[in-house]
Amino acid sequence: VAGLMAWHALALRVLHVSWDELAPRPAPGPAPSTAVVLVHGLGSNDAQWMLGRILLAPRFRLSTLSYHRDSGINVMPQESDTLDLYVARLRTHLEHLAADGVDKVVLVGHSLGGIVSLSCALSSPGKPALLPQVAGVIPLSSPLLGSRLLRVLAASSPLLVRILTGISPAAPLLRDLRPASPRLQSLAAAAASTSIATASLSSSIDTVVTADSAQYPVRPAASIATLELPHVHHYAMVASSRLWGFVAT
């Protein structure tokens, strides 16, 4: 597992560094005032979105952020990382977009990024000063009801879960991702009454976030769609052409 994580981190670093040369150039002319903001998951960086950026760039104004300023080097959580910190960094990113002429955004977040996106949108209702309006949120296999992996580990390896949620660098984040955590319960209650357009995507073979736990506990009034992608694993979801066709619509 450690070896796979090391290769994963190395690939993300290479893609992050080389993205400026590989990225498609935006169409000439004035930039659209609506942007699609891509928010990555835990242990990743903005290079995660390479395929989506290639497929969507001809049609949409795209923007990505990485939670860490040195994310080309470090993609793993740091001891000071919290969900509130990630939400604050997304808000700062949105402020920069607003200053650049963006007045409306759609937030697309994978895994933890969906929780970050939804938290940011629900903590900024309407169109606050200095922020663009959040017109929609699309969580992609996000643990809206908590991580299945943590639930399984709690039954089979309770000591490991205590270490992960107690003293590991990712502990504050993982505590919020436990099933029925106060943070997720509060988020679910707010999502149930939001007027922001929402959608959710999940996979039937996801071993990190089950299909049922990736759906809203109570379908939001403004929910526009849900989609289950068969035979697509958690980390492979962002490489699914069907997913990007769904997002584009």
Side-chain angles (χ1 to χ4, degrees), residues 57-97:
R59 299 177 55 186
F60 302 99
R61 179 173 181 172
L62 300 177
S63 180
T64 65
L65 83 156
S66 288
Y67 302 130
H68 303 129
R69 293 179 179 85
D70 62 345
S71 60
I73 300 172
N74 175 34
V75 298
M76 300 308 293
Q78 301 172 9
E79 290 184 2
S80 59
D81 288 3
T82 64
L83 188 53
D84 287 332
L85 175 65
Y86 288 179
V87 172
R89 290 187 173 166
L90 176 55
R91 285 178 61 90
T92 300
H93 186 79
L94 296 181
E95 289 175 2
H96 291 318
L97 289 178

Side-chain angles (χ1 to χ4, degrees), residues 6 46 82 97 106 120 129 162-163 179 191 205 243:
D46 57 354
T82 64
L97 289 178
V106 174
C120 182
R162 284 198 292 272
I163 293 173
I205 65 166
L243 176 148

Side-chain angles (χ1 to χ4, degrees), residues 5-247:
M5 291 180 66
W7 279 108
H8 172 74
L10 176 62
L12 287 171
R13 292 169 188 170
V14 171
L15 291 174
H16 179 84
V17 171
S18 61
W19 177 251
D20 286 342
E21 288 72 36
L22 297 172
R25 297 293 177 250
S33 61
T34 299
V36 177
V37 181
L38 305 175
V39 185
H40 67 76
L42 187 65
S44 189
N45 64 21
D46 57 354
Q48 177 186 40
W49 301 109
M50 180 171 287
L51 178 62
R53 291 167 77 172
I54 291 172
L55 294 178
L56 297 184
R59 299 177 55 186
F60 302 99
R61 179 173 181 172
L62 300 177
S63 180
T64 65
L65 83 156
S66 288
Y67 302 130
H68 303 129
R69 293 179 179 85
D70 62 345
S71 60
I73 300 172
N74 175 34
V75 298
M76 300 308 293
Q78 301 172 9
E79 290 184 2
S80 59
D81 288 3
T82 64
L83 188 53
D84 287 332
L85 175 65
Y86 288 179
V87 172
R89 290 187 173 166
L90 176 55
R91 285 178 61 90
T92 300
H93 186 79
L94 296 181
E95 289 175 2
H96 291 318
L97 289 178
D100 197 33
V102 172
D103 60 23
K104 188 179 295 185
V105 295
V106 174
L107 305 178
V108 179
H110 176 253
S111 194
L112 177 68
I115 301 292
V116 172
S117 298
L118 194 60
S119 298
C120 182
L122 296 177
S123 65
S124 308
K127 187 179 185 301
L130 305 179
L131 286 179
Q133 178 185 357
V134 177
V137 181
I138 307 178
L140 310 177
S141 201
S142 296
L144 300 172
L145 293 179
S147 169
R148 175 197 184 191
L149 190 57
L150 287 176
R151 187 188 308 127
V152 171
L153 287 176
S156 60
S157 306
L159 177 60
L160 177 58
V161 171
R162 284 198 292 272
I163 293 173
L164 290 174
T165 60
I167 62 175
S168 74
L173 294 166
L174 294 177
R175 283 196 293 269
D176 280 338
L177 296 181
R178 289 180 297 190
S181 72
R183 185 60 179 259
L184 291 182
Q185 290 181 330
S186 175
L187 189 64
S193 59
T194 182
S195 60
I196 298 172
T198 62
S200 61
L201 290 89
S202 59
S203 170
S204 57
I205 65 166
D206 194 330
T207 57
V208 178
V209 180
T210 58
D212 59 335
S213 68
Q215 304 299 332
Y216 294 97
V218 177
R219 187 179 176 93
S223 179
I224 53 176
T226 58
L227 176 67
E228 182 173 324
L229 298 173
H231 315 305
V232 180
H233 192 263
H234 187 73
Y235 295 105
M237 178 170 282
V238 294
S240 167
S241 57
R242 185 181 175 201
L243 176 148
W244 291 113
F246 175 85
V247 171

